[in-house]
């Protein structure tokens, strides 16, 4: 699967060094090629947007990070994605 993903992503207009492209191009390819949709989004302390895309049926997932001034880059891909919602531990309890 990793080889297929790497091969398929090479068809995008990514830079050779970092697998980066316009955000729209990446999200379109993830949706059309892998059925992945955004599952979560967060903002880092440096202003980067960190997103996880996943196909909840097949379990494939991709992590994308977008810099404040430009491209979106693939950070990691994998299998066995699971959506988990866990309650916070009671206040005062150590983990």
């Amino acid at each position: 699967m990793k080889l297929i993903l790497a091969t398929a992503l090479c068809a995008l207009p990514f830079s050779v060094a970092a697998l980066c492209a316009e955000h729209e191009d990446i999200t379109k390819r993830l949706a059309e090629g892998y059925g992945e949709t955004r599952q979560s989004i967060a903002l880092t302390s440096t202003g980067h947007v960190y997103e996880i895309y996943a196909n909840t049926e097949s379990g494939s997932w991709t992590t994308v990070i977008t810099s404040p001034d430009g491209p979106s880059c693939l950070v990691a891909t994998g299998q066995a994605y699971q959506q988990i919602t866990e309650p916070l531990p009671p206040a005062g309890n150590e983990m």
Side-chain angles (χ1 to χ4, degrees), residues 16-40:
V16 175
L19 292 179
C20 298
E22 294 296 319
H23 189 266
E24 182 179 336
D25 294 335
I26 288 178
T27 58
K28 182 178 178 181
R29 183 66 175 160
L30 293 175
E32 292 177 358
Y34 304 96
E36 294 181 4
T37 58
R38 186 169 52 199
Q39 302 297 310
S40 63

Side-chain angles (χ1 to χ4, degrees), residues 74-89:
L74 299 179
V75 177
T77 64
Q79 292 294 316
Y81 175 82
Q82 296 179 29
Q83 184 75 37
I84 299 173
T85 303
E86 296 179 343
L88 291 172

